[in-house]
Amino acid sequence: MRVLAAPDKFKGSISAREVAASIGHACWELGIDCIEIPMADGGDGLLDAFGGANRHTTVTGPLGDPLNASWRFSGGTAVIEMAQASGLVVAGGLENNRALDATTTGTGELIDHALDAGAKRIIVGLGGSATTDGGFGAIRAISAIARLQQVELLVACDVTTRFTDAAAVFGPQKGASRAEVKLLERRLDRLVQMFAEDFDTDVRSVVGGGAAGGLGGALAALGGRLIPGVELVADELGVFDLLDADGSDSIDLIVTGEGRLDATSFAGKVVGGMLEFGHDAGVPVAAVVGDADSSALGTHLERLDVAVLTELYGADASFGEPKRCIEQAVRELLSARQT
């Protein structure tokens, strides 16, 4: 048996890299070959999936304060998590965010730094934003837009929300009141006209243009290509090549996972993505998850073998010792398949 360990993080508990290592450890104990590829959907964890940050730059935070943001540059490719510069967490969370003021300026500054470093490809992950500025702050911060349009700009996005719907769909999650949502909607409507005039792009037609409060549409106007995040990460890290391999190099089982499995897990997230990739390649898929929504679990049990840590070991052990619990759950999954 040859296993591909391709999990997401267990949010608030352990990183995708640590989860993959735990799956790998269980495999090696049973004498099973395992390839570990930590995954992400384009949001929090994107940097970790690509090997971690190796650059740190002071930029404008979402509420205007200076912020030391992490990013990655290697082999001509820059990887930027917009949440590092313009995220809700760095804004102090929902209770401290100012939805009308939150800006993507810092993300634009990181893109500008990547261009100055000589990047030929720039990958931007859009998850976890504090902003609904339509990407206006980012565009103003990029000093060489003509230069950006000459590099490959890939935008990892896990939603299909349209640009003008961003305020209504995501504004309340970022602390916007009903009245503020209306103000943000009017701002986005004005930006539609600006993007049409300045970049000859109708951002209203961009699938996913409303991601990160409209930053998706703004980057599309600058020549960016919006791609489902889990698909982009899988392609960049060689997952599809592994699943296409034949003979002794072929993958016999995918083991993925995340902290909580629910309906969103199958709508652009890692577990759902790996399930589809495995299905297309004819490779069975198993998932180890911290907790699970019973209705979502029941819907997919015919195609996905799931181990739920809280059900197997209780909440205290699952949250207190996740690595040990993941290893044990994977050993049991694999042992059952070997017998």
Side-chain angles (χ1 to χ4, degrees):
M1 186 182 292
R2 195 168 194 235
V3 170
L4 170 61
D8 199 353
K9 63 189 175 300
F10 281 37
K11 192 168 185 178
S13 181
I14 57 175
S15 70
R17 193 164 298 279
E18 291 173 312
V19 178
S22 297
I23 296 169
H25 191 266
C27 290
W28 294 117
E29 283 188 341
L30 295 174
I32 294 171
D33 187 18
C34 181
I35 299 172
E36 300 170 18
I37 300 184
M39 287 290 295
D41 58 22
D44 178 29
L46 182 71
L47 281 174
D48 185 51
F50 279 89
N54 59 8
R55 299 288 178 102
H56 306 274
T57 302
T58 300
V59 298
T60 304
L63 301 182
D65 299 321
L67 172 71
N68 188 33
S70 301
W71 57 292
R72 181 173 181 81
F73 183 56
S74 178
T77 296
V79 181
I80 294 169
E81 265 187 35
M82 72 89 60
Q84 292 280 333
S86 312
L88 187 60
V89 172
V90 297
L94 181 67
E95 61 279 4
N96 294 309
N97 192 33
R98 300 194 302 273
L100 292 179
D101 300 328
T103 176
T104 53
T105 298
T107 298
E109 290 169 345
L110 285 183
I111 292 172
D112 215 40
H113 281 286
L115 290 170
D116 288 342
K120 302 301 182 186
R121 303 171 74 244
I122 300 176
I123 297 171
V124 182
L126 296 188
S129 78
T131 61
T132 316
D133 73 344
F136 182 64
I139 283 184
R140 286 197 309 170
I142 300 171
S143 61
I145 287 177
R147 188 159 42 127
L148 176 62
Q149 293 171 332
Q150 295 174 14
V151 307
E152 185 179 17
L153 177 59
L154 304 177
V155 185
C157 174
D158 66 354
V159 300
T160 58
T161 307
R162 302 287 178 165
F163 186 84
T164 51
D165 295 330
V169 174
F170 301 122
Q173 301 172 17
K174 302 171 186 182
S177 66
R178 189 172 300 177
E180 288 173 329
V181 166
K182 296 298 181 184
L183 291 171
L184 292 168
E185 286 178 329
R186 288 198 287 272
R187 177 193 290 173
L188 293 174
D189 287 336
R190 290 194 299 270
L191 286 172
V192 167
Q193 183 178 352
M194 186 199 84
F195 286 126
E197 293 173 352
D198 293 353
F199 303 105
D200 195 26
T201 300
D202 181 3
V203 293
R204 294 172 301 183
S205 66
V206 177
V207 177
L215 179 60
L219 294 179
L222 299 183
R225 184 157 57 99
L226 272 62
I227 304 172
V230 65
E231 180 182 317
L232 186 155
V233 174
D235 189 35
E236 291 290 321
L237 300 183
V239 168
F240 298 124
D241 291 337
L242 285 170
L243 294 179
D244 286 342
D246 296 323
S248 60
D249 292 329
S250 64
I251 298 297
D252 301 297
L253 175 68
I254 298 169
V255 181
T256 185
E258 64 177 337
R260 176 172 172 77
L261 186 142
D262 58 25
T264 67
S265 303
F266 304 95
K269 303 298 183 182
V270 170
V271 169
M274 295 310 304
L275 179 60
E276 294 308 318
F277 303 156
H279 177 75
D280 291 344
V283 178
V285 181
V288 178
V289 301
D291 196 9
D293 174 79
S294 57
S295 59
L297 189 62
T299 303
H300 297 276
L301 277 179
E302 289 186 1
R303 295 201 301 158
L304 182 67
D305 192 1
V306 183
V308 183
L309 300 186
T310 53
E311 293 181 3
L312 293 171
Y313 312 114
D316 289 344
S318 299
F319 288 102
E321 301 177 89
K323 293 180 184 180
R324 180 183 66 81
C325 291
I326 291 168
E327 288 181 21
Q328 181 61 31
V330 173
R331 280 195 294 268
E332 293 177 6
L333 279 171
L334 295 175
S335 296
R337 286 178 172 274
Q338 286 181 314
T339 56

